[in-house]
């Protein structure tokens, strides 16, 4: 079975910070050993005897090394060890929950597939033998078939619930990694501050000595003055940070018996089964969307009233919004997968989805399993700048171009994403768009037109730099971005718009001449 933990970016980052912390511990232990050597303590006492006029100062320094350096470092190491042990236990426990949920999903899926096969075999037996068996035997067989249906339905719901629970377990696992990283980060900063303070105190002590120690004292003073805790911490963060594009996390998708092409279930029953599961997913998608929209309103409201907002509440809201966006993406990927199977059965065009290439299949001894890899932001590098996080997530709808287009799924027809609509756009509309684009607002605009597109749906701008679109509007394209937001113009206004809401049109000679 695949290991969903060891190859994850969160795991690598956590191991990296643990290694760094261990290196700091070893340095502190070596420093303690050096400072505790009898030669240092006795040496300073010997100097105090020889230099009677500074005897008190030397004795104070000898005691200060023990009281102000050795004891604080030992105490700090003990406290850090205890706190890191708690974090390690929490990480290990959370990782085990992820592994257990993963295993439970696979076991439940195998059980469901087996029950589905048995149920289908029993159903075929009832259909093929209904003319030759007695009424009593037929009732007995129907009773078994009903019981099999109930067991299969119960197992199906259990499998679906396990898959949804897996999302929460994974999110909690990520949260624990982030919290553990932050704790170790703070402990290391505390450790550096302590060592810096000890160095400064030592410098102050030896400043009182005679000219024989001035040269060495100046060397230590220069080092102490050049210590920058914030710069050292930033260097650590820069070295340990990982780009979000590298942080791909795998999530198990739901796989059902009705999706398998090689089964004994007839086409109509497969369609009905898939339609019911699609409707269940659509209901959950609508709930998560409403929750996500509510969180976005809270974020925007907090962003507009930043002087009255609570930083901790903002961080909690942003985290909840991120979780809702992830859940919505996973639900839509599951919906896309089931919709593709249903479209294939009905002979309709296969839908598309931005994450379709990220879906992979792997097989154990009995069944195939589906998994999607989703890029997740590593919210660790900018821990000292929560305001930047607020600004970026408050515009999360721009970073979420992979959502399905705004359509509804009915019980009889699944959702299709590729929309093979005809490009019967009006030449007058294109000409008007070009005329608007050459208005006074754009006389000095150096951007050149690279294409045209037609709006498939209405879109209400959420910010001043976005374009309002109505279905059928023709826009001029100036730039395409891989993020899913393009730059264009409509009715004399230039701005950005979501690429998933438009269909690019071929250039026409008549409009080019215009």
């Amino acid at each position: 079975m695949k290991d969903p933990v060891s190859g994850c970016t969160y795991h690598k980052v956590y191991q990296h910070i643990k290694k760094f912390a261990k290196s700091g511990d070893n340095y502190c232990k070596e420093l303690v050993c050096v400072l505790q050597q009898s030669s240092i303590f006795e040496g300073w006492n010997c100097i105090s005897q020889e230099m009677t006029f500074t005897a008190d100062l030397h004795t104070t320094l000898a005691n200060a090394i023990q009281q102000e350096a050795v004891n604080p470092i030992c105490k700090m190491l003990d406290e850090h060890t205890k706190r890191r042990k708690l974090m390690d236990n929490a990480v290990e426990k959370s990782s085990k929950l992820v592994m257990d949920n993963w295993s439970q999903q696979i076991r439940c899926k195998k059980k469901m597939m087996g029950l589905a096969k048995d149920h289908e075999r029993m159903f075929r037996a009832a259909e093929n033998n209904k003319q030759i068996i007695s009424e009593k035997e037929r009732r007995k067989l129907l009773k078994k078939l009903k019981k099999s249906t109930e067991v299969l339905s119960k197992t199906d719901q259990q499998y679906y619930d396990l898959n949804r629970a897996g999302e929460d377990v994974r999110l909690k696992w990520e949260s624990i990694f982030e919290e553990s990283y932050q704790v170790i980060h703070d402990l290391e900063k505390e450790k550096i501050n302590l060592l810096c303070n000890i160095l400064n105190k030592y410098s102050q002590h030896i400043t009182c000595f005679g000219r024989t120690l001035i040269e060495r004292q100046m060397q230590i003073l220069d080092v102490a003055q050049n210590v920058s805790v914030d710069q050292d911490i930033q260097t650590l963060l820069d070295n340990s940070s990982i780009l979000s594009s590298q942080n791909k996390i795998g999530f198990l998708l739901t796989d059902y018996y009705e999706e398998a092409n090689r089964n004994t279930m007839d086409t109509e029953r497969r369609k009905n089964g898939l339609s019911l599961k699609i409707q269940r997913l659509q209901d959950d998608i609508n709930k998560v969307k409403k929750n996500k929209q509510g969180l976005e309103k809270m974020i925007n409201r907090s962003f507009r009233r930043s002087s009255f907002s609570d930083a901790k509440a903002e961080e909690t809201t942003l985290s909840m919004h991120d979780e809702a966006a992830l859940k919505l993406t996973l639900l839509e990927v599951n919906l896309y997968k089931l919709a593709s199977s249903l479209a294939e059965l009905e002979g309709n065009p296969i839908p598309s989805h931005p994450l379709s290439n990220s879906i992979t299949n792997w097989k154990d001894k009995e069944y195939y399993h589906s998994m999607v890899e989703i890029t997740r932001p590593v919210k660790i590098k900018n821990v000292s700048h929560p305001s930047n996080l607020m600004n970026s997530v408050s515009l999360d709808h721009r970073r979420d171009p992979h959502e399905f287009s705004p359509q509804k799924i009915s019980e009889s027809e699944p959702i299709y994403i590729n929309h093979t609509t005809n490009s019967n756009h009006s030449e007058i509309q294109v000409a008007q768009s070009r005329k608007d684009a050459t208005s006074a607002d754009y006389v000095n605009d150096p951007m050149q037109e690279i294409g045209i597109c037609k709006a498939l749906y209405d879109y209400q701008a959420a910010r001043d730099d976005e374009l309002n679109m109505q279905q059928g509007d023709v826009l001029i394209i100036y730039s395409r971005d891989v993020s899913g937001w393009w730059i264009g113009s409509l009715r004399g206004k230039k701005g950005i718009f979501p690429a998933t809401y438009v269909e690019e049109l071929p250039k026409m000679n008549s409009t080019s001449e215009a």
Side-chain angles (χ1 to χ4, degrees), residues 397-416:
H397 65 283
R398 291 192 183 178
R399 299 186 295 104
D400 196 12
H402 303 312
E403 291 188 358
F404 274 6
S405 302
Q407 303 178 66
K408 295 181 179 179
I409 291 183
S410 63
E411 294 183 359
S412 59
E413 183 177 358
I415 185 169
Y416 297 107

Side-chain angles (χ1 to χ4, degrees), residues 97-355:
L97 290 176
V98 173
M99 296 287 293
D100 290 344
N101 177 268
W102 191 288
S103 301
Q104 289 173 8
Q105 286 193 59
I106 293 177
R107 287 198 300 269
C108 190
K109 175 184 174 180
K110 292 180 179 180
K111 179 181 178 181
M112 184 190 68
M113 290 295 188
L115 290 173
K117 287 182 179 180
D118 295 339
H119 178 77
E120 187 63 20
R121 189 162 46 248
M122 193 180 303
F123 177 85
R124 286 295 174 189
E127 287 292 318
N128 296 336
N129 300 325
K130 62 183 178 180
Q131 302 294 336
I132 61 176
I133 61 177
S134 63
E135 182 65 22
K136 182 177 179 181
E137 291 176 337
R138 188 177 70 83
R139 286 197 301 269
K140 184 178 180 181
L141 191 58
L142 289 177
K143 185 176 180 181
K144 289 182 178 180
L145 191 62
K146 181 179 179 182
K147 184 177 180 181
S148 175
T149 302
E150 294 174 352
V151 174
L152 180 59
S153 177
K154 182 178 179 181
T155 305
D156 173 85
Q157 186 62 43
Q158 183 182 4
Y159 173 56
Y160 179 81
D161 293 339
L162 280 173
N163 184 264
R164 295 302 311 281
E167 302 169 8
D168 295 328
V169 171
R170 188 78 187 213
L171 288 171
K172 184 177 179 181
W173 176 77
E174 291 182 14
S175 176
I176 290 176
F177 264 108
E178 294 171 6
E179 180 183 355
S180 300
Y181 183 99
Q182 184 63 45
V183 168
I184 296 180
H185 169 275
D186 294 338
L187 292 178
E188 290 307 299
K189 187 172 183 179
E190 179 183 342
K191 183 187 297 178
I192 294 175
N193 278 322
L194 176 62
L195 295 176
C196 183
N197 291 335
I198 291 174
L199 187 59
N200 285 322
K201 289 180 180 179
Y202 182 76
S203 176
Q204 292 172 4
H205 281 296
I206 64 173
T207 302
C208 303
F209 296 161
R211 287 185 172 276
T212 55
L213 299 177
I214 289 179
E215 182 180 356
R216 294 183 182 179
Q217 183 269 337
M218 289 303 298
Q219 294 176 350
I220 297 176
L221 182 61
D222 290 340
V223 174
Q225 290 177 342
N226 291 329
V227 171
S228 175
V229 176
D230 292 335
Q231 184 177 354
D232 292 343
I233 292 296
Q234 187 60 45
T235 301
L236 167 64
L237 293 177
D238 292 338
N239 292 335
S240 62
S241 62
I242 296 178
L243 296 177
S244 296
S245 59
Q246 299 173 348
N247 182 32
K248 291 188 176 182
I249 299 179
F251 291 88
L252 277 179
L253 299 177
T254 54
D255 297 299
Y256 296 102
Y257 185 75
E258 290 87 346
E259 294 180 81
N261 291 326
R262 297 182 179 180
N263 60 39
T264 57
M265 187 179 291
D266 59 65
T267 302
E268 287 302 320
R269 293 181 62 225
R270 288 178 65 188
K271 289 181 182 179
N272 292 336
L274 290 174
S275 296
L276 291 174
K277 291 173 173 60
I278 286 175
Q279 185 60 48
R280 177 172 61 183
L281 281 171
Q282 185 61 40
D283 292 341
D284 284 344
I285 286 174
N286 292 334
K287 293 178 183 177
V288 176
K289 276 186 176 180
K290 290 180 180 179
N291 182 37
K292 183 170 175 282
Q293 290 170 358
L295 291 170
E296 287 174 352
K297 291 180 181 179
M298 293 174 62
I299 292 172
N300 291 331
R301 197 159 48 240
S302 175
F303 182 67
R304 288 193 296 267
R305 303 176 182 177
S306 57
S307 58
F308 301 99
S309 58
D310 181 5
K312 187 174 182 180
E314 283 180 3
E315 185 177 353
T316 302
T317 305
L318 291 171
S319 178
M320 293 171 63
H321 179 272
D322 181 65
E323 293 177 6
L326 174 62
K327 290 181 179 180
L328 184 59
T329 300
L330 292 174
L331 286 170
E332 288 177 342
V333 172
N334 275 304
L335 179 63
Y336 154 75
K337 195 166 73 73
L338 293 181
S340 299
S341 298
L342 186 56
E344 185 178 354
L345 287 174
E346 294 178 340
N348 292 324
I350 301 298
S352 63
H353 191 277
L355 293 178

